Amino acid sequence: MLLTVHMSPVEMELLPLLCLCLLTVSGTTFADGNNLQIVKVTEGSDATLPCSTSTEEDVTSKRIEWRKDGQKEVFLYEGELLLSGQDQQFTGRVSLYTSELQHGNASIEIKNTELFDSGDYTCEIGKLQTNQSFPIQLLVVPLIIKVKEGNSVILPCSPRSKKDIKEDHFEWKKDGHMDVLLYEGTELGIRDDQFHGRVSLFKDQLKNGNASIKINNTKEADSGNYTCEFPDRNETLHILLVVGEYFDKTADCL
């Protein structure tokens, strides 16, 4: 018997993105059979990129160089941390497990991952018996939230510092162009007609760095890609919202 599933245009558009969840497990590390290690995390979480010598040789005094996409300098260690050439993208967000160097472990941790951190990383350890290079692929995916049509949903957002943002400027947008909410100091800006009267901010939580919003009486048309951006901080969080009874019943992997 042939089973026919009827989906709306919105559901059809989001289906390829949702199917990615079948392939993505947040915080998972695995190999692809060619010694390439793949690390997958949700945006905003921390990612550990593994790099260890097969002999567990002490690398405390060795040169350890981490690069992204063959060019961007992520981390350079040569008996001590060298920051002069580090790409600004990683400033203040990368650390080495220094206590593990004596066991041949040169892994790093990237804090507060962003979508732009996705890419191909290499860890090179020089001056060993033979120079060793370790390829790692980092995949940072947006947070996915699903809700049944008609229900309310909270889209979470906080800057990295999680400090008082009552005087800050931040913007919520949908699909890159639709204004959902604009906050500047104490003023709330104009929202798109689609969200009129349905979007609210947790004003009493701004002092704790909480810029989350609540969308009431969700509609299928609310499905899409949302961004919470702090322009002055150069920080952006991405969220994929899925609204609809079809996905509520079938997309259990979300």
Side-chain angles (χ1 to χ4, degrees):
M1 180 177 67
L2 179 64
L3 176 64
T4 301
V5 177
H6 298 283
M7 290 186 288
S8 69
V10 173
E11 291 171 335
M12 288 293 292
E13 182 179 349
L14 290 173
L15 186 58
L17 291 173
L18 294 172
C19 287
L20 287 175
C21 69
L22 296 173
L23 303 174
T24 303
V25 180
S26 180
T28 297
T29 303
F30 58 92
D32 71 345
N34 295 312
N35 295 322
L36 172 66
Q37 296 195 74
I38 302 174
V39 178
K40 296 185 178 182
V41 296
T42 301
E43 185 182 28
S45 60
D46 300 337
T48 296
L49 304 190
C51 177
S52 298
T53 62
S54 57
T55 60
E56 297 187 358
E57 177 184 348
D58 187 347
V59 295
T60 304
S61 60
K62 310 300 182 184
R63 177 185 174 89
I64 300 169
E65 185 174 8
W66 278 90
R67 288 189 175 274
K68 177 179 182 287
D69 299 328
Q71 297 179 334
K72 290 186 178 181
E73 185 174 298
V74 180
F75 196 94
L76 178 60
Y77 174 92
E78 196 164 9
E80 61 178 349
L81 175 60
L82 304 175
L83 295 175
S84 58
Q86 186 181 44
D87 192 276
Q88 291 183 350
Q89 176 181 341
F90 301 100
T91 301
R93 295 198 297 128
V94 183
S95 59
L96 189 71
Y97 297 96
T98 53
S99 62
E100 292 296 315
L101 292 174
Q102 60 183 318
H103 304 300
N105 185 353
S107 303
I108 59 172
E109 181 180 61
I110 301 178
K111 297 184 178 298
N112 297 307
T113 55
E114 303 172 352
L115 294 188
F116 299 115
D117 292 333
S118 295
D120 297 318
Y121 290 74
T122 54
C123 166
E124 294 188 357
I125 303 177
K127 299 181 181 179
L128 293 173
Q129 294 178 353
T130 58
N131 283 10
Q132 296 188 38
S133 179
F134 305 85
I136 298 100
Q137 184 178 76
L138 175 62
L139 299 177
V140 182
V141 298
L143 175 65
I144 302 175
I145 297 177
K146 64 171 184 172
V147 63
K148 187 174 181 179
E149 188 172 18
N151 288 354
S152 299
V153 65
I154 294 176
L155 304 188
C157 178
S158 293
R160 294 180 195 135
S161 65
K162 293 182 172 58
K163 294 182 179 179
D164 190 338
I165 56 173
K166 287 185 293 186
E167 304 300 324
D168 274 32
H169 166 209
F170 59 87
E171 305 172 2
W172 276 93
K173 289 183 178 290
K174 176 179 180 288
D175 298 329
H177 60 84
M178 189 179 296
D179 291 323
V180 180
L181 184 144
L182 172 63
Y183 181 87
E184 287 190 274
T186 58
E187 297 296 326
L188 288 174
I190 300 174
R191 306 156 191 147
D192 190 276
D193 288 342
Q194 176 180 329
F195 299 98
H196 182 70
R198 296 194 298 123
V199 177
S200 59
L201 193 66
F202 298 91
K203 294 182 180 179
D204 60 332
Q205 291 297 313
L206 291 173
K207 61 184 178 182
N208 301 320
N210 187 353
S212 305
I213 59 173
K214 182 178 181 180
I215 303 177
N216 293 313
N217 189 27
T218 54
K219 304 175 182 179
E220 190 179 279
D222 294 336
S223 296
N225 294 287
Y226 289 75
T227 55
C228 172
E229 180 180 4
F230 291 83
D232 298 335
R233 298 171 182 258
N234 196 28
E235 295 182 30
T236 303
L237 180 70
H238 301 77
I239 297 174
L240 173 61
L241 175 63
V242 183
V243 181
E245 186 173 355
Y246 171 78
F247 287 119
D248 189 57
K249 291 180 178 179
T250 61
D252 293 331
C253 62
L254 296 181

